[in-house]
Amino acid sequence: MQIAVIGSGYVGLVAGACFAQMGNHVTCLDVDSKKIESLQQGQIPIYEPGLEEMVHANIKLGTLCFTTDKKVAMVNAEVIFIAVGTPMGDDGSADLSFVKAVARDIGEYISREYVVIVDKSTVPVGTARKVRSIIEDTLTKREATQKITFDVVSNPEFLKEGVAIKDFMSPDRVVIGTDSKKALAVMKALYSPFLLKTDRLIHMGIESAEMTKYAANAMLATKISFINEMSQICERVGANINDVRLGIGADSRIGYSFIYPGCGYGGSCFPKDVRALEKTAKDYGYEAKILHAVQDVNAAQKKLLVEKIVKHFGQNLQGLSFCIWGLSFKPETDDMREASSLVLIHELVKRGAYIKAYDPKAYQQAKFYLKDILDSIQFMASKYEALQGCVALVLLTEWREFRSPDFDEIQKLLTHPIIFDGRNIYQHCNLESKGFTYYQIGVGKQRE
């Protein structure tokens, strides 16, 4: 098929590369000319395992190309994916200005007799109807309504950063929201190569599909905040959240996924989508109490390690250097949006601390998000180099290379053998017997 993907960010780039991998001809459009120039040369602006190789291969095959020319991208497209950003507004709602602008462009440039327009961006319920209205109005102004027909479909993405290629190529479900049999047939044909083993395509109404994306992310965020709230209670009553997690996760109705205690969730999806869903509920006259609590718990959890550090060292951290392992919001990505590291580093620097940080991939993003305090941060070339002269190690992101470090080397390089473990990855290492003062999440002192 001839496919246009509007927006060459995380979702658009992954979708475009994967559709091209299956033999479709994909044109990715973006208004950022510098980004397009880089992509044309095979330079990927984000880190996602396997993506760079896939983009290179399909550019070489001629199945994937990049442009800033709207007409070139859309004029022959059979399917057009809208994959532009929907940033959060001041009131928590999703900003649809980019989506609406793309809808106007689509109405201006499509020329085939029939086109399927696909909302791939995460958008509030009712957006597909708005997109349809904008395209219809633009076609009317062109006097092209008799020549061109189209359908708007909701096809939310469920990609996990770090394994996005795997998720797209072998999806656990493909949600298609449409009331058009013709559009559904096109979408089934497009996704059939990805669903050869099991037919996981789920068809529903447009509003239901739009709601599914928000509900899924809200559910996952809720699980994270729930286990983190349990960790807070465990610390106070003398229980161990690591054991509690095993006890509740064994129940098949609960399961083990997303109930790892830690220092809060971040990224581009959960924080934005939970707030947007809460705002949608409010707009329709309902107070989403659980969603509000999920956000409150997460905000508090991001400051928990700060509280532990201050309790140990005092409020005045002047002259103290702290080693930070992990800056991105999760492993296998360079994404720093809403990362727990941003909260912790700002809070420590505010109290006079100096930071030595190491992350395998997130330096450039970190420099952008921490640009106001770069004088207080040094980005190091290796995890052990970052330890030199620091009073404590603070682990925030559970990259694989942090899982089995040389604790003798850590002890030798730190001025004090102290570890604040924000992901509980060293819970079985018996660090106290090795001479460390070890802080983790959700483990209280045993009551006598």
Side-chain angles (χ1 to χ4, degrees):
M1 289 187 188
Q2 295 285 333
I3 298 172
V5 179
I6 315 304
S8 297
Y10 185 84
V11 174
L13 193 53
V14 171
C18 290
F19 282 129
Q21 185 73 10
M22 290 302 188
N24 299 288
H25 187 277
V26 181
T27 301
C28 290
L29 171 72
D30 203 284
V31 296
D32 187 337
S33 58
K34 290 184 178 179
K35 179 192 288 187
I36 291 298
E37 288 174 11
S38 296
L39 288 168
Q40 287 170 337
Q41 298 168 16
Q43 298 174 4
I44 308 302
I46 59 174
Y47 173 71
E48 178 62 38
L51 181 58
E52 185 172 356
E53 294 82 358
M54 186 176 284
V55 169
H56 272 284
N58 284 286
I59 289 175
K60 189 174 181 180
L61 286 171
T63 55
L64 180 64
C65 61
F66 301 91
T67 185
T68 58
D69 191 317
K70 297 173 184 177
K71 184 176 182 179
V72 166
M74 298 186 216
V75 69
N76 291 316
E78 300 169 72
V79 182
I80 300 177
F81 283 87
I82 301 175
V84 294
T86 54
M88 186 175 60
D90 294 337
D91 61 355
S93 62
D95 182 349
L96 295 179
S97 57
F98 297 126
V99 173
K100 291 177 180 178
V102 169
R104 286 188 287 271
D105 290 336
I106 290 171
E108 187 66 37
Y109 292 109
I110 56 174
S111 63
R112 281 184 176 268
E113 183 179 335
Y114 177 70
V115 185
V116 176
I117 316 299
V118 186
D119 272 338
K120 199 69 174 170
S121 301
T122 300
V123 293
V125 175
T127 300
R129 307 290 183 190
K130 294 177 182 177
V131 167
R132 180 172 191 85
S133 177
I134 292 170
I135 296 173
E136 285 176 341
D137 289 346
T138 309
L139 287 173
T140 299
K141 292 175 183 176
R142 283 177 56 190
E143 298 182 349
T145 53
Q146 301 300 316
K147 303 175 184 177
I148 299 172
T149 60
F150 70 96
D151 282 305
V152 179
V153 170
S154 176
N155 173 219
E157 58 85 15
F158 299 100
L159 306 178
K160 298 185 292 292
E161 292 189 44
V163 290
I165 298 296
K166 177 179 178 295
D167 283 349
F168 203 103
M169 299 297 284
S170 183
D172 53 16
R173 81 281 207 196
V174 174
V175 172
I176 305 296
T178 180
D179 51 10
S180 164
K181 291 182 180 180
K182 189 173 183 179
L184 180 60
V186 171
M187 296 302 289
K188 282 184 174 180
L190 180 60
Y191 275 106
S192 61
F194 302 93
L195 302 170
L196 292 178
K197 292 183 179 179
T198 306
D199 185 2
R200 300 188 179 98
L201 190 143
I202 304 171
H203 173 224
M204 61 183 70
I206 295 174
E207 287 79 9
S208 296
E210 291 170 332
M211 184 67 185
T212 296
K213 169 65 175 181
Y214 280 108
N217 279 350
M219 182 71 247
L220 297 175
T222 299
K223 291 186 74 173
I224 295 170
S225 281
F226 174 82
I227 200 67
N228 282 336
E229 185 153 81
M230 293 303 103
S231 75
Q232 293 274 11
I233 298 173
C234 284
E235 289 195 10
R236 288 157 175 78
V237 302
N240 186 325
I241 191 61
N242 302 307
D243 295 336
V244 173
R245 176 186 173 274
L246 293 175
I248 66 173
D251 188 326
S252 60
R253 297 169 299 176
I254 298 173
Y256 291 110
S257 63
F258 284 83
I259 58 166
Y260 289 90
C263 48
Y265 64 75
S268 63
C269 294
F270 289 3
K272 177 173 68 73
D273 292 354
V274 173
R275 290 172 200 161
L277 184 54
E278 183 188 19
K279 178 61 168 58
T280 296
K282 185 177 180 181
D283 290 344
Y284 283 83
Y286 179 75
E287 182 185 355
K289 299 180 182 67
I290 292 176
L291 299 183
H292 190 79
V294 165
Q295 297 168 80
D296 285 347
V297 170
N298 192 57
Q301 200 72 11
K302 288 185 177 182
K303 293 186 177 181
L304 182 58
L305 286 183
V306 178
E307 294 169 7
K308 292 179 182 292
I309 291 170
V310 166
K311 186 175 181 180
H312 185 98
F313 290 100
Q315 285 285 351
N316 185 0
L317 303 178
Q318 196 72 38
L320 300 181
S321 294
F322 290 85
C323 172
I324 306 294
W325 279 5
L327 296 169
S328 57
F329 87 94
K330 63 178 284 189
E332 300 300 327
T333 180
D334 61 351
D335 197 339
M336 288 285 296
R337 288 172 288 186
E338 302 273 355
S340 298
S341 62
L342 299 176
V343 174
L344 182 130
I345 290 172
H346 274 102
E347 290 292 330
L348 295 187
V349 169
K350 185 169 67 177
R351 290 168 172 82
Y354 187 78
I355 305 298
K356 291 186 175 182
Y358 171 74
D359 187 284
K361 295 293 179 182
Y363 282 157
Q364 292 305 315
Q365 292 294 317
K367 288 175 182 178
F368 172 78
Y369 283 99
L370 295 166
K371 56 182 176 290
D372 57 324
I373 54 171
L374 286 180
D375 289 346
S376 299
I377 305 172
Q378 187 175 3
F379 298 102
M380 310 304 291
S382 76
K383 60 180 181 286
Y384 293 119
E385 184 182 355
L387 293 163
Q388 185 71 48
C390 291
V391 296
L393 164 63
V394 185
L395 184 135
L396 296 178
T397 313
E398 62 276 32
W399 287 89
R400 288 191 182 94
E401 68 174 276
F402 299 152
R403 291 185 177 274
S404 297
D406 185 337
F407 288 109
D408 291 336
E409 186 72 8
I410 292 174
Q411 195 169 50
K412 182 173 70 175
L413 292 170
L414 289 174
T415 61
H416 298 71
I418 303 169
I419 295 178
F420 294 90
D421 184 352
R423 301 296 173 183
N424 289 7
I425 67 172
Y426 303 136
Q427 58 176 290
H428 299 301
C429 295
N430 200 15
L431 291 181
E432 287 85 354
S433 69
K434 294 179 170 64
F436 284 92
T437 300
Y438 177 54
Y439 294 94
Q440 56 180 313
I441 304 292
V443 179
K445 292 182 180 179
Q446 294 289 321
R447 300 173 74 85
E448 305 206 1

